[in-house]
Amino acid sequence: MSIIHSDEFGQFQQDSATPHTSRVATKWLQEHSSDFRHFRCPPKSPDMNIIEPIWIALQCAVQKRSPPPVSPMDLRTALQNS
């Protein structure tokens, strides 16, 4: 695990997102459950996912641009500038 604490256990936050509930992921989690702490939270909860507010802020910043991005490169530039 990439996040290791003093007790040498990593952490995994389970939010029931589709990639986390696939058969392959479920099997892997069961096989490696002793290697990390498993935190469960409500499915797709923005309160438990630190990236959600960032996505919302970026979306708002890009939507306010004038003129709006019209190509993938324009969008990339707008996101980087935001």
Side-chain angles (χ1 to χ4, degrees), residues 1-74:
M1 300 295 310
S2 61
I3 301 174
I4 303 295
H5 294 274
S6 60
D7 61 7
E8 298 182 11
F9 282 95
Q11 292 188 40
F12 177 76
Q13 181 176 329
Q14 169 64 287
D15 62 358
S16 299
T18 303
H20 298 166
T21 58
S22 69
R23 281 186 297 216
V24 172
T26 301
K27 181 180 177 187
W28 187 91
L29 288 169
Q30 289 171 345
E31 291 171 356
H32 295 88
S33 63
S34 63
D35 297 338
F36 54 88
R37 293 186 192 110
H38 193 173
F39 294 98
R40 295 188 189 277
C41 61
K44 300 178 178 132
S45 171
D47 297 333
M48 298 299 287
N49 190 343
I50 196 168
I51 196 73
E52 292 302 322
I54 296 169
W55 287 127
I56 292 168
L58 282 173
Q59 180 181 16
C60 290
V62 170
Q63 287 176 343
K64 290 179 183 177
R65 294 181 68 86
S66 181
V70 293
S71 70
M73 188 54 77
D74 288 347

